[in-house]
Amino acid sequence: MGFIDDVEAILAKTPENCQRALFSATMPPQIKKVAQTYLRNATEVRIESETRTVERISQFVLPVYAERKLDALTRILEVEPIDAAIIFVRTKAETTMLAEKLSARGHAVAPLSGDLNQRQREQTVEDLKRGKKDIIIATDVAARGLDVSRITHVINYDMPKNVEEYVHRIGRTARMGRPGTAITFVSEWDFPILDVILDHLGSDLERGNLAFSHI
């Protein structure tokens, strides 16, 4: 959806009798609307969702008050053996604000959101791949399809809205057969969503403790 205007511009110029197929990791209302607009008598094929995430990903939840999340994140970045990390937040504005705060603390960080044009997004991802940046603060839309093998950690600074979003986010680590770590901050109002995620995964997540060198 981050570049839906370009997609629709291309589709508008395709002939009526061409064959069209839509592939999407999720099917939210916005994507369904695109399908209904541009596909004719389409057959929907669903691949069964994976209920369990990759075994190579060590998953932790970290209960933390909302006003203490920045302190907790700063501590994690100090003690965790991070090569590169992607930190997920809910809004575009948060990507910029959090990136500025971490940059002031000496981290090589950049925001990644729909406010950036396609070339800027590609450059940010390339900087992460080449080690010019070590941390990306991203919204879910901007992080779709992001595949960088050096990402060792995913941090859900803001709780994902649903199970699919959680699975997609943590799947940004443990690429190319490598292990990865996913840490999810859980504030006081996040527990209902956490319960849904845990029920879907069919297992509990280990609780983190910032007193240790590894979450």
Side-chain angles (χ1 to χ4, degrees):
M1 295 305 297
F3 40 89
I4 189 60
D5 291 343
D6 296 326
V7 172
E8 292 188 316
I10 294 170
L11 287 172
K13 294 183 180 299
T14 58
E16 283 296 316
N17 61 350
C18 74
Q19 183 180 25
R20 300 186 181 116
L22 170 69
F23 300 89
S24 181
T26 58
M27 194 63 70
Q30 305 100 307
I31 299 295
K32 286 184 179 179
K33 183 178 179 181
V34 173
Q36 292 165 356
T37 301
Y38 293 101
L39 304 184
R40 299 287 183 268
N41 300 318
T43 298
E44 183 174 337
V45 178
R46 287 179 174 268
I47 298 174
E48 185 176 352
S49 299
E50 293 186 20
T51 58
R52 296 184 182 273
T53 48
V54 183
E55 292 182 0
R56 295 188 304 273
I57 304 177
S58 300
Q59 300 172 59
F60 300 89
V61 293
L62 187 65
V64 56
Y65 290 112
E67 62 270 18
R68 298 298 304 275
K69 288 201 290 187
L70 180 59
D71 293 336
L73 178 60
T74 300
R75 177 62 175 156
I76 287 170
L77 297 178
E78 289 174 350
V79 301
E80 278 290 288
I82 295 173
D83 185 9
I86 181 166
I87 301 172
F88 284 100
V89 295
R90 288 196 183 98
T91 68
K92 299 174 184 177
E94 285 180 293
T95 64
T96 301
M97 289 188 293
L98 189 56
E100 289 175 350
K101 290 175 181 177
L102 293 183
S103 179
R105 287 166 168 76
H107 296 286
V109 57
L112 184 64
S113 75
D115 279 347
L116 303 179
N117 62 42
Q118 184 66 20
R119 183 170 183 177
Q120 289 172 319
R121 292 199 293 267
E122 290 174 354
Q123 185 60 57
T124 299
V125 173
E126 188 64 22
D127 287 347
L128 186 66
K129 288 180 178 180
R130 295 181 176 275
K132 293 182 179 180
K133 301 294 182 184
D134 295 323
I135 301 170
I136 294 298
I137 315 296
T139 59
D140 288 285
V141 170
R144 290 289 172 186
L146 192 151
D147 188 358
V148 179
S149 61
R150 66 182 289 255
I151 293 176
T152 54
H153 288 66
V154 168
I155 300 174
N156 291 314
Y157 190 84
D158 290 329
M159 191 75 173
K161 297 189 294 291
N162 52 53
V163 174
E164 286 185 334
E165 199 170 90
Y166 175 81
V167 173
H168 172 79
R169 285 182 178 189
I170 72 169
R172 299 311 93 201
T173 188
R175 315 297 286 185
M176 304 293 290
R178 300 179 181 182
T181 298
I183 303 166
T184 300
F185 287 1
V186 183
S187 298
E188 48 269 39
W189 51 76
D190 292 328
F191 285 97
I193 301 175
L194 178 63
D195 289 340
V196 173
I197 291 173
L198 294 178
D199 183 64
H200 185 83
L201 295 177
S203 63
D204 203 355
L205 300 182
E206 190 171 346
R207 285 189 172 238
N209 188 333
L210 289 178
F212 296 98
S213 61
H214 185 75
I215 294 294

